[in-house]
Amino acid sequence: MARMPLISGNWKMHHNHFDAIALVQKLGYVLGKDDLEAVEVSVHPPFTDLRSVQTVLESDKIGIALGAQNCHWEEKGAFTGEVAPPMLAKLNVRYVIVGHSERRELFGETDDDVNRKVKAVLKAGMTTILCCGETLEEREAGGTDAKVTGQVLAGLDGLKADVVGGLVIAYEPIWAIGTGRTASAEDAQAVCGLLRRTVAGKWGAAAAESVRIQYGGSVKGDNAPALMACPDIDGALVGGAALEAESFAAIVQFRLAAPQG
Ligand code: PEP
């Protein structure tokens, strides 16, 4: 079964709602119908931009999915500063990034928090992009496999196989995020292949066959073709290069470029 690639732009804490409107309008212009039929695309603006971006995507009929970068696990309550999954669902958010390494490292999110968020996102009818990845120290100490499989098994704990099959996992080596250093296509494939086998071992072959696994970490237009050609890589989670329409479109259009190296 062919899996539809998903290319997701994580804008992090960049772009106010005016910049956001301009960027999605430009994306709607540079990405043609063919691009958006061959590849699914999502954008993940800051919370304050979501309503504006939703309005542009829907009124201009731009075939890009709306995403969020995070959420709380409760549906409502006294949680100052937090945003609940049903609030995102009401804005037609389709994908929520959960457990990004910046959330884990800078805001102390644990695997248990991540698992609660995954369940809350699913309960609200959205899909998670569950992030995992190792630090450079962990990689050099031979700890990559244990770290990423541990994060995925903990993050998806308690879910049924048919649910897991519909999710997205993003392998993002922390040493490659925002550093300009990308994992080689071989290294990225090795970890993404391991993650698929891990899903197969726990949830069965059908879930493993349909779950989508993105690579993230300094993906650009020039390295995207080789990464996307790997059998277990089904798309990309993009930070820096997603902040401008041309550089993001160059990744979405990876099929137009010949793989390098
Ligand atoms: C990210 O933050 O998810 C990411 C992959 O960032 P960058 O593309 O800038 O490395």
Side-chain angles (χ1 to χ4, degrees):
M1 184 188 69
R3 292 177 293 270
M4 175 74 134
L6 173 65
I7 310 267
S8 304
N10 173 13
W11 297 1
K12 308 192 184 187
M13 200 170 69
H14 295 286
H15 292 330
N16 61 39
H17 72 287
F18 291 114
D19 303 330
I21 289 169
L23 177 51
V24 283
Q25 282 176 331
K26 204 160 172 189
L27 282 174
Y29 179 73
V30 293
L31 292 175
K33 197 166 163 281
D34 291 354
D35 298 322
L36 296 173
E37 276 173 5
V39 175
E40 190 179 1
V41 177
S42 64
V43 290
H44 300 248
F47 289 133
T48 51
D49 301 353
L50 283 173
R51 177 67 176 147
S52 306
V53 173
Q54 178 206 12
T55 303
V56 176
L57 292 178
E58 292 178 6
S59 61
D60 292 2
K61 298 190 172 33
I62 300 171
I64 293 177
L66 188 57
Q69 302 173 18
N70 181 35
C71 64
H72 197 267
W73 56 79
E74 294 289 346
E75 288 184 5
K76 59 180 163 186
F79 301 100
T80 301
E82 294 292 336
V83 172
M87 297 170 179
L88 299 176
K90 201 79 182 160
L91 292 165
N92 290 344
V93 165
R94 194 181 306 163
Y95 295 102
V96 184
I97 298 170
V98 177
H100 190 280
S101 59
E102 287 155 14
R103 299 289 324 162
R104 295 179 190 259
E105 292 206 318
L106 303 175
F107 301 98
E109 266 184 26
T110 64
D111 279 336
D112 191 43
D113 297 336
V114 170
N115 181 244
R116 289 204 231 185
K117 290 184 181 195
V118 167
K119 288 175 175 160
V121 166
L122 294 169
K123 188 171 176 213
M126 301 174 291
T127 301
T128 51
I129 298 178
L130 169 66
C131 298
C132 64
E134 82 286 6
T135 63
L136 190 55
E137 295 70 38
E138 288 163 340
R139 170 160 282 262
E140 287 171 348
T144 300
D145 294 4
K147 174 79 180 289
V148 297
T149 56
Q151 285 180 323
V152 167
L153 290 170
L156 303 182
D157 187 47
L159 301 186
K160 295 206 168 82
D162 58 333
V163 173
V164 172
L167 301 186
V168 183
I169 296 170
Y171 167 54
E172 298 207 298
I174 296 169
W175 47 271
I177 296 180
T179 58
R181 251 184 100 174
T182 322
S184 67
E186 278 165 8
D187 286 347
Q189 163 57 29
V191 177
C192 292
L194 169 70
L195 292 174
R196 199 175 302 285
R197 292 195 298 281
T198 302
V199 171
K202 173 91 182 174
W203 290 280
E209 186 55 33
S210 62
V211 69
R212 288 185 290 178
I213 304 178
Q214 297 176 313
Y215 168 78
S218 297
V219 177
K220 305 272 183 290
D222 58 358
N223 56 28
L227 289 161
M228 296 306 123
C230 297
D232 288 303
I233 299 181
D234 309 312
L237 183 52
V238 184
L243 295 178
E244 294 199 358
E246 291 81 3
S247 48
F248 191 52
I251 297 170
V252 173
Q253 294 164 338
F254 67 88
R255 283 186 174 76
L256 303 178
Q260 297 179 348

